[in-house]
Amino acid sequence: PAPMPALVAIYVAGADGANPHQVSTPPHGWEDHYPTWSKDGKTVVFERDRSTDPAGPSKLVAVDVATRAERLVYALPAWAPSGGIPKLSPDGSQILFTYWCVFGGSCPAASHSARNARLATVPSTGGAAAVLPLTILADSPGWSPDGTQVVFRCHTSRGRNNLCTSSPDGTNLKRFPWPLGSAHPDWGAHP
């Protein structure tokens, strides 16, 4: 018989590794990635995408950790397969995400177009997405601890990636000079 596909779901455990348990339930053929916690520890938001090659559609989903009840927050458009990488804002009101496909060789070439190299927010309760009006192409976002800035991987005209920060409204853009190889920058504990 053919081997069963791996279940890629969101699990939680105590800080000491005790009591690991599954909290998300992806349908057959889907996988759950990139969990981000709410400040109160009651909700996890994550990216749900198709386990296909090439990459397929994706969604931002929230799950109540205690009840395992899931709700759709945002379905990414068809032109953004495997986009997502959600990050909850420090106050829990917004989810920052990208339209960029991060699954390398399984991403269709069109998913790495300028249209996809953008960041957006959506209310954590669901609704319409708002694209950040950045003057540079971007992916892989994160929030500063106080929510006044975002950090992300930015793309230069020379095909290199750098670390960038800006205000959530796209102003105060700062591009750091060193090349960035990782796709997932994050902010430390200090603003």
Side-chain angles (χ1 to χ4, degrees), residues 82-185:
S82 293
I85 315 177
K87 296 290 184 173
L88 270 163
S89 62
D91 68 4
S93 67
Q94 297 286 314
I95 301 168
L96 179 65
F97 67 96
T98 181
Y99 290 110
W100 187 262
C101 179
V102 297
F103 291 117
S106 68
C107 297
S111 71
H112 286 173
S113 70
R115 173 174 65 173
N116 294 67
R118 297 181 302 161
L119 306 181
T121 60
V122 64
S124 59
T125 55
V131 174
L132 275 65
L134 294 167
T135 58
I136 195 164
L137 303 179
D139 69 67
S140 305
W143 293 95
S144 66
D146 62 4
T148 62
Q149 296 185 71
V150 294
V151 61
F152 50 92
R153 183 174 73 165
C154 53
H155 308 252
T156 69
S157 59
R158 296 182 301 276
R160 292 180 35 196
N161 297 317
N162 291 92
L163 180 70
C164 286
T165 60
S166 78
S167 299
D169 65 3
T171 61
N172 302 314
L173 178 66
K174 181 176 182 179
R175 183 169 54 112
F176 294 86
W178 58 84
L180 184 66
S182 172
H184 305 289

